[in-house]
Amino acid sequence: MNPYRLYLVTDDQQDLQTLKHVVKEAVVGGVTMVQVREKSGDIRSFIARAQAIKTILKGTNVALIINDRVDVALAVDADGVHLGQSDMPAGLARQLIGPNKLLGLSIENEHQLLEANALSLDYIGLSAIFATPTKTDTKKEWGIAGLTNALTKTNFPVVAIGGINQSNLDDIIKTGVDGVALVSAICHADDPKSAAAALLKQIHAAMP
Ligand code: TZP
Ligand code: MG
């Protein structure tokens, strides 16, 4: 089954204990992929947090993806890496990680979307669908209409990210998108397990 349906992206503001709790619970709740996202620039902390999450995901079917950093992905032997437009070029990343790891790329506009079709990617992240306090440097938001249009112009599975929660999830899923990536709707929930389970149920109910 499509592994992108409910894609958890971790909150780098949460301490290690909270991070581990959130990921453990979210996996029980049914998230299908986990990306460790760190923005502090402290590579040792990034590696330690990624290793902790790798231990939690061991023995599950949930893939571990590392945000931005190919070196960290290789160091912890993650299942893949997710790059932004200012990270290492995707072609070089593919050479370094090899054909069997997952490679995702954030796409912020239509030009990048068309360019991406020539790359060796596994999926794209359409960023950002809606404005979100979790990431404030996003430029133009895609919105539902932009997402719908983007889906006609790419060959890759598409994961929608940015400002997604239970109140707009049905509209997102009905576009035919392959999955949704979320930070706050799961990481900031009082009960991340129930939140993930409820989101997954809602996704399955709304899938076209
Ligand atoms: N990339 C685009 S928006 C975003 C990222 C990492 C943050 C999404 O966070 P939230 O809390 O799900 O809106
Ligand atoms: Mg990035």
Side-chain angles (χ1 to χ4, degrees):
M1 220 199 296
N2 156 22
Y4 301 106
R5 276 164 296 149
L6 182 58
Y7 185 154
L8 170 67
V9 178
T10 63
D11 180 354
D12 67 339
Q13 302 298 311
Q14 292 183 317
D15 63 26
L16 180 61
Q17 200 187 337
T18 309
L19 174 75
K20 285 163 65 178
H21 170 74
V22 164
V23 174
K24 269 184 204 155
E25 295 291 304
V27 168
V28 177
V31 298
T32 55
M33 196 167 276
V34 174
Q35 179 187 131
V36 180
R37 179 172 182 268
E38 294 292 317
K39 292 289 171 184
S40 74
D42 178 346
I43 191 165
R44 292 197 178 204
S45 155
F46 197 164
I47 288 172
R49 286 162 69 93
Q51 279 169 333
I53 303 308
K54 181 172 169 156
T55 303
I56 292 167
L57 298 183
K58 198 169 175 215
T60 72
N61 284 327
V62 177
L64 169 66
I65 307 293
I66 300 297
N67 186 245
D68 295 346
R69 298 285 301 250
V70 172
D71 52 353
V72 174
L74 290 172
V76 305
D77 190 26
D79 300 301
V81 64
H82 184 92
L83 300 174
Q85 291 288 330
S86 50
D87 297 318
M88 175 187 294
L92 286 176
R94 175 57 81 197
Q95 282 181 31
L96 289 170
I97 65 176
N100 299 325
K101 302 274 189 193
L102 295 170
L103 182 58
L105 179 64
S106 287
I107 301 290
E108 295 157 6
N109 58 49
E110 191 162 321
H111 175 72
Q112 294 170 2
L113 182 67
L114 299 177
E115 254 183 11
N117 281 332
L119 300 172
S120 170
L121 303 173
D122 291 286
Y123 73 95
I124 62 169
L126 220 58
S127 162
I129 304 300
F130 302 120
T132 170
T134 310
K135 182 169 162 62
T136 51
D137 65 348
T138 59
K139 288 157 203 130
K140 192 172 171 293
E141 285 78 42
W142 289 91
I144 299 291
L147 167 61
T148 304
N149 183 44
L151 288 169
T152 67
K153 298 191 174 164
T154 180
N155 308 322
F156 296 115
V158 174
V159 178
I161 185 164
I164 301 173
N165 54 49
Q166 59 175 33
S167 67
N168 53 36
L169 185 60
D170 283 3
D171 290 342
I172 302 261
I173 294 299
K174 282 180 187 153
T175 63
V177 75
D178 297 273
V180 289
L182 314 108
V183 180
S184 38
I186 294 175
C187 296
H188 301 172
D190 291 337
D191 178 349
K193 178 170 77 180
S194 309
L199 289 161
L200 191 63
K201 193 171 165 200
Q202 196 178 339
I203 289 168
H204 287 157
M207 270 192 165

